[in-house]
Amino acid sequence: MSDQNPLVPYLYLLPHAIFFLVFTVYPIALGVWISVHRWDPLADTQPYVGSEFYRNLFLDTPQRDFFWRTLVNTLLFTVISVPLLVITALSLAQLLYRPVLFRAMFRSIFFMPGILSVSVMGILWKWLFDNQSGLVNVILQMMGRPTIPFLTTDGWAWVPVTLGTVWWTIGFNMTLYLAAMGNIPASLYEAAELDGAGGWHKFRYITLPLLQSTTLFVVVTTVLASLQLFGQTQVITGGGPARATQSVIQYITEEAFGNNQFSSATAMSFVFGAIMLIFTAIQFRTMARDAGGPR
Amino acid sequence: MTDLDLPAASARLAPQPTAPRRRVPRDIPRFVALVVLALLFLAPLYWMISTSFKPESDTIASPVQWIPARPTLENYREILTSPDGNILRWAWNSLFSSLAYTAAHLFVSVLAAYAFARMKFPGRDFWFWTVLSSMMVPGIVTLIPTYVMMIQFNWIDTYHALIWPGISGAFGVFLLRQFFLGIPRELEEAARLDGANSFQVLTNVILPLSVPVLVTLAVFAFMGSWNNYVWPLFVVHGDMQTLPVGITSFSSRYTTDYGKLMAGTAIAAVPVLVAYLLAQRYLQEGIAVTGLKE
């Protein structure tokens, strides 16, 4: 086919377009359909029920109780983990920005846990915080302290989940900060030094303001990642004790794959998706600005 | 935003000169702090490896047995021959599906990005924005409908379920298009004068210049597929499981026998860690350039 043929560009797009239509556009449409019908893999008919499954989330139903409760769990995790993941990452980047012995090696070490799958990370942190024989409790014993049944105690169960997440994902944020710090002109610091500025002043009045857009990006992506909490609680606590650490995505998958309530679960995922969309929109804007303009 | 441009990304691809600074004594506290933090970061990994070589009775020994007193390979032998699951088969599933996914993702993304970056045709911008907007749809929204499709396609417990659904991810198209836009027109025109058609321009001019961004995308696609957890957890079972999902089934069986559990996680983790040590430059640079995050 000659390049002059106006169909040529569409041929290049075709493979992507097929997959895009089948696995992105169609599932969204199918999801809408499923959420307003009673979809059951084993039933012959899928009766139309309208907004029933959406209304269930606001009426007196177990679905309402569990959905909002696990949403609160997820928001709690987000509120605890995001500041940790942003401030600690910024601190690590600040420690590593200037040359230091073995700098590249340190960078690699802090980044390394992030390439593990969530299940490997989860099993490992479950072992570290095991109620009896976990390393943390053994160390507590050695210090003459009582052991803490982390995995089965309300409140404490968030500790391995949160610390594990920080250990696991901090390297991504640190790397983003390091890249942004590399773009700050050294002359700014030199000028500040001439004016007698100390380390804290340089950080406060040069580094921090110039990292503003990076911080926005890091915060939004970290919030998004935290809202999608699933593997950590699935593997470390199993959502327990008594759903205290169950995340909303965990509950949605339980409703679908555990209870075979696909329509109810789809309605929930649409409601939750709408909540996340707000954050995604902010991320999208910062990314677009990032890619569009000079820095 | 329609005139998305490359310079920002390419500027960040270039190595950043760091200002020479004094290495005076005030750097010693910084170095010590880094050493302490690095040891804290490495401790869990060390504890995993250390536990995996301990007999069951020693895993719960107090005081802490940092170095296995009676090292054994028994945990590895038992976990590799466990009747509960074939760890090597799971590893193969992960490897095969991740490689196939990466190849297919790069293939469709390159072709689409090339059309978006280098060709003019009716509907181009509309379609590009549609694809880009799909990045705003959170994964959970399509999870259950796509699962229902897998049932309808009869793809549950097949490689198809692991490979195809994520192929059209918009990020690859976006990243490659940005890079292709920055390649000078003159190079393409010279090739055209030599009689090259659009496909030859792609393979002989564009792709050879795009190797770094292609490698970046490939590494991320492979890692994303390999480490994916929520999707394979539900669409594949038994012998068709991927390695990260498979090892969690040991977690419910060996609830207290952490020696064997750690042997299982070590088998899943160590190859990835070694691969990381070889490719770390690409990974860290890739994140810096793309701002990509799970």
Side-chain angles (χ1 to χ4, degrees):
Chain A
M1 189 181 284
S2 147
D3 265 11
Q4 266 64 56
N5 192 312
L7 285 179
V8 166
Y10 298 105
L11 280 180
Y12 283 95
L13 272 186
L14 191 64
H16 187 270
I18 292 171
F19 283 106
F20 183 75
L21 290 172
V22 175
F23 292 113
T24 302
V25 177
Y26 179 66
I28 295 172
L30 182 63
V32 174
W33 192 89
I34 290 173
S35 73
V36 295
H37 289 73
R38 188 182 303 280
W39 197 89
D40 181 340
L42 303 173
D44 294 332
T45 56
Q46 332 284 349
Y48 175 79
V49 296
S51 63
E52 179 188 324
F53 291 113
Y54 293 94
R55 274 184 284 131
N56 278 348
L57 298 179
F58 302 94
L59 300 174
D60 191 14
T61 61
Q63 278 81 7
R64 180 196 68 179
D65 293 347
F66 293 140
F67 178 77
W68 296 108
R69 184 168 161 196
T70 54
L71 185 61
V72 168
N73 288 346
T74 309
L75 292 173
L76 178 72
F77 170 75
T78 306
V79 168
I80 303 170
S81 70
V82 171
L84 275 175
L85 281 164
V86 176
I87 295 166
T88 323
L90 180 61
S91 314
L92 276 184
Q94 181 68 15
L95 278 175
L96 275 175
Y97 168 57
R98 282 170 294 135
V100 69
L101 203 58
F102 301 126
R103 181 167 70 161
M105 193 190 72
F106 285 127
R107 279 183 66 156
S108 297
I109 288 172
F110 296 141
F111 188 85
M112 196 154 60
I115 56 144
L116 298 175
S117 76
V118 68
S119 54
V120 167
M121 167 271 183
I123 295 173
L124 178 52
W125 280 75
K126 194 177 162 192
W127 165 223
L128 290 169
F129 281 83
D130 185 90
N131 284 350
Q132 277 88 40
S133 47
L135 183 61
V136 175
N137 272 324
V138 173
I139 291 175
L140 282 177
Q141 272 179 326
M142 282 164 64
M143 298 186 335
R145 302 255 171 186
T147 59
I148 300 166
F150 286 100
L151 302 177
T152 50
T153 313
D154 250 4
W156 282 115
W158 284 111
V159 173
V161 171
T162 310
L163 289 183
T165 304
V166 170
W167 178 76
W168 183 45
T169 58
I170 195 95
F172 285 96
N173 290 351
M174 177 200 74
T175 303
L176 290 172
Y177 269 126
L178 279 172
M181 286 177 177
N183 284 343
I184 299 177
S187 56
L188 285 179
Y189 290 112
E190 283 152 17
E193 272 171 38
L194 286 179
D195 290 342
W200 167 250
H201 274 84
K202 282 187 283 183
F203 177 75
R204 173 69 186 78
Y205 294 105
I206 299 174
T207 313
L208 218 47
L210 287 175
L211 289 181
Q212 210 176 18
S213 69
T214 306
T215 300
L216 180 63
F217 183 79
V218 167
V219 168
V220 174
T221 52
T222 308
V223 167
L224 275 174
S226 300
L227 288 177
Q228 303 194 54
L229 173 68
F230 176 79
Q232 296 98 304
T233 48
Q234 177 91 0
V235 178
I236 299 176
T237 63
R243 292 186 198 264
T245 60
Q246 193 177 39
S247 73
V248 67
I249 292 190
Q250 233 179 322
Y251 175 59
I252 290 172
T253 57
E254 180 194 312
E255 179 77 348
F257 306 113
N259 307 339
N260 262 327
Q261 297 293 322
F262 286 82
S263 296
S264 169
T266 306
M268 288 177 203
S269 63
F270 275 37
V271 172
F272 181 56
I275 295 169
M276 283 192 30
L277 202 62
I278 298 162
F279 293 96
T280 320
I282 302 173
Q283 181 199 9
F284 195 64
R285 280 186 72 96
T286 60
M287 258 181 78
R289 199 177 55 193
D290 210 37
R295 292 165 61 90
Chain B
M1 156 96 203
T2 33
D3 50 352
L4 293 166
D5 212 354
L6 185 70
S10 65
R12 278 182 283 166
L13 263 177
Q16 294 297 330
T18 37
R21 271 166 203 282
R22 299 172 307 231
R23 289 201 199 185
V24 287
R26 67 168 184 176
D27 269 15
I28 291 172
R30 190 156 65 96
F31 181 72
V32 172
L34 284 167
V35 170
V36 171
L37 286 168
L39 289 177
L40 273 175
F41 266 74
L42 288 173
L45 291 173
Y46 175 79
W47 196 238
M48 167 176 82
I49 306 286
S50 167
T51 306
S52 72
F53 290 114
K54 289 176 189 170
E56 188 178 352
S57 54
D58 285 6
T59 57
I60 53 172
S62 179
V64 183
Q65 212 180 76
W66 290 107
I67 298 165
R70 299 177 291 154
T72 172
L73 287 172
E74 184 59 22
N75 294 324
Y76 285 92
R77 195 191 63 75
E78 196 157 320
I79 216 82
L80 281 169
T81 57
S82 163
D84 293 302
N86 187 341
I87 234 176
L88 297 175
R89 172 65 199 273
W90 295 337
W92 165 252
N93 295 342
S94 282
L95 186 68
F96 174 76
S97 60
S98 300
L99 283 175
Y101 168 81
T102 305
H105 179 60
L106 254 65
F107 179 78
V108 301
S109 302
V110 161
L111 293 182
Y114 181 52
F116 283 133
R118 293 297 192 158
M119 296 173 183
K120 276 196 160 67
F121 53 91
R124 180 187 69 175
D125 290 345
F126 169 77
W127 191 246
F128 181 68
W129 279 96
T130 307
V131 170
L132 215 54
S133 321
S134 75
M135 282 164 78
M136 292 179 66
V137 179
I140 183 68
V141 167
T142 51
L143 180 80
I144 294 157
T146 314
Y147 179 86
V148 167
M149 286 171 71
M150 296 297 106
I151 297 178
Q152 289 166 345
F153 289 8
N154 245 331
W155 277 6
I156 299 291
D157 291 334
T158 68
Y159 287 120
H160 295 299
L162 294 175
I163 296 170
W164 304 117
I167 292 294
S168 62
F171 192 81
V173 175
F174 175 70
L175 182 70
L176 292 176
R177 173 183 175 270
Q178 296 310 104
F179 196 88
F180 292 169
L181 280 176
I183 295 172
R185 287 267 168 201
E186 294 76 36
L187 293 174
E188 182 176 344
E189 278 152 19
R192 292 278 187 184
L193 286 177
D194 290 341
N197 62 30
S198 65
F199 191 72
Q200 286 163 329
V201 169
L202 175 64
T203 55
N204 298 343
V205 179
I206 306 279
L207 289 185
L209 290 170
S210 310
V211 170
V213 72
L214 291 171
V215 172
T216 301
L217 186 59
V219 168
F220 279 108
F222 184 86
M223 260 189 52
S225 171
W226 180 284
N227 284 339
N228 196 357
Y229 182 67
V230 55
W231 178 247
L233 180 63
F234 299 112
V235 289
V236 285
H237 313 86
D239 261 3
M240 281 306 298
Q241 285 181 95
T242 58
L243 187 57
V245 175
I247 57 157
T248 56
S249 54
F250 287 132
S251 185
S252 44
R253 156 129 171 130
Y254 302 102
T255 40
T256 53
D257 193 346
Y258 275 103
K260 291 183 185 59
L261 264 182
M262 288 302 110
T265 51
I267 292 169
V270 171
V272 187
L273 292 173
V274 172
Y276 164 67
L277 291 174
L278 298 173
Q280 49 180 317
R281 231 187 96 238
Y282 275 113
L283 262 177
Q284 293 190 18
E285 272 178 22
I287 287 174
V289 171
T290 61
L292 191 72
K293 195 171 160 172
E294 204 179 323

